[in-house]
Amino acid sequence: MEPAFGTYESFLQQKGNQFQSHLQNKVLLCRKCGKSNGYTLKACNQCHTSLAGVELGHTENAFTGFIYGIKYKISLRYSDEEVLIFDDMLQVSSCHINAIPTKVYIPDWRYLLLNPTEGLKLLEKLEEKGWYCIKTQFLMNEEWKSKYLRDTKELTEEDYKDMYYAGCNYPPSQFQLHLQFLLPPYRPFAWHVAPTMSVNGRGRFCPLSYLKKVLSLSLPFPVLPETPVESIYQFFDLQGVSYDAYYDQHLQKERRMHRRLVNWKVEDFEGIVVVDTPNSTQNQRFYKL
Ligand SMILES: [Zn+2]
């Protein structure tokens, strides 16, 4: 879908500066490799250089840009008055989408705790629409299914409902609440680096099951911009909802579903990239298959 505004500046000039704070991500730019990192990280997640002393910087918020129609083209999956769904910009599986609310600005999932009842309702709405997209745009597409998934004849809608996962990251990559949906199998690279460099790593990724459980307790939590997510995990741990237990369950399921569904064939690839230094893009060698 084509954007209505060519740049963030042209949008702000026409609509007013009150939108400015919605259009920025808070980041720490790595001094060595230039990667923008989540503002709570201690070291760059690309080159591991310390981020101590790096001043808070800003990047353009692509997701609120999508909502207002600024700059970026969207690989759109679904839209209505309240929800926008699109392909993840750094897809690690062929079915990897994000659902965002369009009527409210919620920088990240922690703020849902200010009003757990409404927060839960919002997540459930995003969940319903995300599942609808997975079902109608992927699973009902026989050509897609036979290419990416293995042995699907016996699988029912209920089975698939249990095979995808959803959740939110904190800190997020883009500062607008987004519920991420992913149906394995992972692309080989993503599978290979996990779990050491999992896209949805422990501490940062919250499975939807955890978020729903925490919100269903209806215990408002006084979230401020600087509230560490660890203090939220600790608080709900004391209420009997263990983040680690939910995360472990998520990880096991993710592994199991990848192995169950993976359908890559040698002929799908041109070659193999061998990386000498783990977690680095340096010293890569390419071998043609
Ligand atoms: Zn770096």
Side-chain angles (χ1 to χ4, degrees), residues 30 32-35 37 44 46-49:
C30 174
K32 191 170 170 206
C33 75
K35 176 159 197 306
N37 287 278
C44 172
Q46 180 160 283
C47 73
H48 298 279
T49 303

Side-chain angles (χ1 to χ4, degrees), residues 115-133:
N115 187 337
T117 311
E118 286 303 312
L120 184 58
K121 265 196 233 164
L122 180 59
L123 277 187
E124 284 174 342
K125 187 181 291 169
L126 298 178
E127 181 186 20
E128 182 201 325
K129 305 293 182 189
W131 165 240
Y132 172 78
C133 281

